Amino acid sequence: MKKKSMDTVHVDKKEEKRAKNLQLISSTREIRWDKLDNTAHLFPVIAGESMSNVYRISVTLTELIRPELLQQALDIVLPKFDGFNLRLRQGVFWYYFEENGKPAPKVREETTFPCRYIYPNRNNSYLFRVTYFKYRINLEVFHVLTDGMGGINFLKELTYQYLRLVHPALKGAKGDALTSSTSLNREDSFLKNYRKSSEKGYQTKKAFLVKGERLSPGEFGIMHGYMQIPELKTVCHKYGASINEYLVAVFIWSVYRECMHGTPSQKPIRVAVPVNLRPYFNSITTKNFFAMVSAEFHPVKEEYTFEEVLRTVKESLEQQINKENLEKLFSYNVSNEKTLIARAAPLFVKNIAMRVVYTQSALANTSTITNIGNITVDEAYIPYVEMFHSCLAMSKGQHIKGNICSYKSTLVFSFSYDLADASIQRGFFRKIAADGVHIEIESNGVNYE
């Protein structure tokens, strides 16, 4: 029999000790449980290998990642985040969360494509994973846990802890404590802020869907476009639009030109735009708290100008992004959840109904573009942080998605896709460049021609 090396034995003993310590801690207190928020109920029902419902937020540092210290950082930070230290359970009427007393998932070098489905039984029952590649730390989260704001919270604290281990001088007086700006709030803000409603707020009419040859099974395309915010603001000011309105409109313009070739269509191009509800309802929850609005353009005549497309997009978003309408959107869903019939129905019946509703709403959108905003880091860590990125997994009928985030003066628009043809991406960046914004493009190369 082949003998283990002394290094391997040493590592195994350390892992065994770590597991025993965590089991001892969990055995001395009652295991807690928690309800899923209103939006989270959907994700376990529809998630699978082909539609993972996993998003990624990553941070690029100025130094190569040291995996052993990243694992230590995760071991220290995870017990402080009740919202990540969870596993998913299936009850008779609902899914629910239960505290996970197992060791933190193993930090691994990235060797596969992003946003893959997370199998809890291969991940110590956790619903997130941490990987690294050269200078980059990746956090991938099953959306049932939290939305992008909750993911940023966790990734920043993980990064801070990692940098304190690499550079002990950063510890200062606070040691390994979380920063004061990091929320641990687990309020269900949907439930707190909803108003009884019977009016459906989401779209169900079918939209134009982007189709074509797919990448090889398992492949996942990523393309980043880097832009300087001052240049982008100048262009947006010229058009009288916000950065978000402009970028969504450019995407719709690209689909219109590259897929419809400027001709009329029976179906509209409709882009789902998630809106962070926290600023509208004074919430600091780390559970999901967002609503979906839709930017729509329906070409019913020959040849529209970009200005016409932008005007339509701008008007549709302005009409929807206000507190009254956002409240209506999520109140309909919460009201349905609270009906006696919904509460009494067994889980398998609820799952069937949710799949039907999801399919209707998913096919009502051409794509999804989410903007997680400007990410800031505490001053002490700024010299070590180069950039943030984010991307979304594919969903039913949507084979190309966009994600926007910025850090310091740089904004990055990231495409995720599983289509072999990259003409939409090229048309998107070509339009922005034509408007006077310098763009640097980076890709994972799945569809180099």
Side-chain angles (χ1 to χ4, degrees), residues 40 60 67 70 87 89 117 189 192 199 223 237 247 269 305 322-323 333 363 374 389 391 396 402 409 416 442:
T60 304
L70 182 57
R87 57 183 170 181
R89 293 293 203 186
Y117 181 67
S189 292
K192 179 182 178 182
E199 185 179 356
M223 188 180 295
H237 180 73
L247 292 174
I269 303 169
T305 65
N322 57 75
K323 184 176 180 179
N333 295 332
L363 298 181
N374 181 258
H389 299 84
C391 66
K396 195 178 188 73
S409 64
S416 52
E442 180 183 40

Side-chain angles (χ1 to χ4, degrees), residues 125-159:
S125 300
Y126 287 100
L127 305 170
F128 71 94
R129 68 168 68 95
V130 176
T131 62
Y132 67 94
F133 184 74
K134 293 185 178 180
Y135 299 86
R136 191 178 68 233
I137 300 171
N138 307 308
L139 172 67
E140 297 191 335
V141 183
F142 183 26
H143 223 315
V144 71
L145 283 183
T146 182
D147 55 23
M149 293 299 101
I152 291 168
N153 246 357
F154 187 80
L155 178 61
K156 284 167 64 170
E157 288 296 347
L158 176 62
T159 304

Side-chain angles (χ1 to χ4, degrees), residues 76-253:
I76 293 170
V77 168
L78 179 57
K80 300 174 184 178
F81 277 84
D82 288 346
F84 277 76
N85 189 18
L86 296 169
R87 57 183 170 181
L88 188 65
R89 293 293 203 186
Q90 183 173 328
V92 176
F93 298 102
W94 299 102
Y95 288 97
Y96 65 95
F97 290 127
E98 186 178 78
E99 182 178 10
N100 189 342
K102 296 179 182 179
K106 185 74 174 173
V107 170
R108 302 183 188 280
E109 184 175 16
E110 183 181 21
T111 57
T112 59
F113 291 100
C115 300
R116 293 169 299 111
Y117 181 67
I118 296 174
Y119 289 94
N121 59 348
R122 303 177 190 173
N123 197 49
N124 280 1
S125 300
Y126 287 100
L127 305 170
F128 71 94
R129 68 168 68 95
V130 176
T131 62
Y132 67 94
F133 184 74
K134 293 185 178 180
Y135 299 86
R136 191 178 68 233
I137 300 171
N138 307 308
L139 172 67
E140 297 191 335
V141 183
F142 183 26
H143 223 315
V144 71
L145 283 183
T146 182
D147 55 23
M149 293 299 101
I152 291 168
N153 246 357
F154 187 80
L155 178 61
K156 284 167 64 170
E157 288 296 347
L158 176 62
T159 304
Y160 295 163
Q161 182 60 60
Y162 168 76
L163 288 171
R164 287 194 294 267
L165 292 172
V166 176
H167 304 281
L170 288 171
K171 277 202 173 188
K174 291 187 177 181
D176 291 334
L178 301 179
T179 55
S180 58
S181 60
T182 294
S183 173
L184 297 176
N185 184 286
R186 294 289 293 163
E187 167 191 275
D188 187 337
S189 292
F190 287 118
L191 201 57
K192 179 182 178 182
N193 293 287
Y194 95 102
R195 299 291 179 266
K196 192 173 182 180
S197 169
S198 60
E199 185 179 356
K200 182 173 67 176
Y202 56 86
Q203 285 280 358
T204 55
K205 293 182 180 179
K206 289 186 178 180
F208 174 82
L209 301 181
V210 179
K211 298 177 181 178
E213 182 186 351
R214 305 277 286 276
L215 295 171
S216 299
E219 287 190 333
F220 189 89
I222 298 290
M223 188 180 295
H224 303 301
Y226 300 90
M227 314 166 212
Q228 291 306 300
I229 294 174
E231 289 184 0
L232 201 51
K233 282 183 175 179
T234 299
V235 170
C236 292
H237 180 73
K238 181 185 73 173
Y239 283 116
S242 69
I243 289 177
N244 206 50
E245 290 166 345
Y246 171 74
L247 292 174
V248 172
V250 173
F251 176 83
I252 290 177
W253 172 254

Side-chain angles (χ1 to χ4, degrees), residues 274-340:
V275 177
N276 176 21
L277 296 173
R278 292 168 182 82
Y280 296 91
F281 296 93
N282 195 29
S283 170
I284 56 170
T285 185
T286 57
K287 288 190 174 186
N288 287 295
F289 195 40
F290 67 95
M292 287 285 196
V293 301
S294 294
E296 181 175 321
F297 169 66
H298 193 175
V300 294
K301 65 180 180 68
E302 296 284 346
E303 287 299 329
Y304 289 82
T305 65
F306 173 71
E307 286 79 3
E308 288 176 304
V309 174
L310 176 57
R311 190 182 311 120
T312 302
V313 168
K314 189 173 184 293
E315 288 173 358
S316 67
L317 290 177
E318 285 178 345
Q319 289 170 5
Q320 296 172 79
I321 302 179
N322 57 75
K323 184 176 180 179
E324 182 181 359
N325 184 63
L326 295 170
E327 183 182 88
K328 180 183 73 175
L329 290 175
F330 71 79
S331 289
Y332 173 77
N333 295 332
V334 177
S335 294
N336 283 345
E337 179 191 328
K338 291 180 71 65
T339 63
L340 181 61

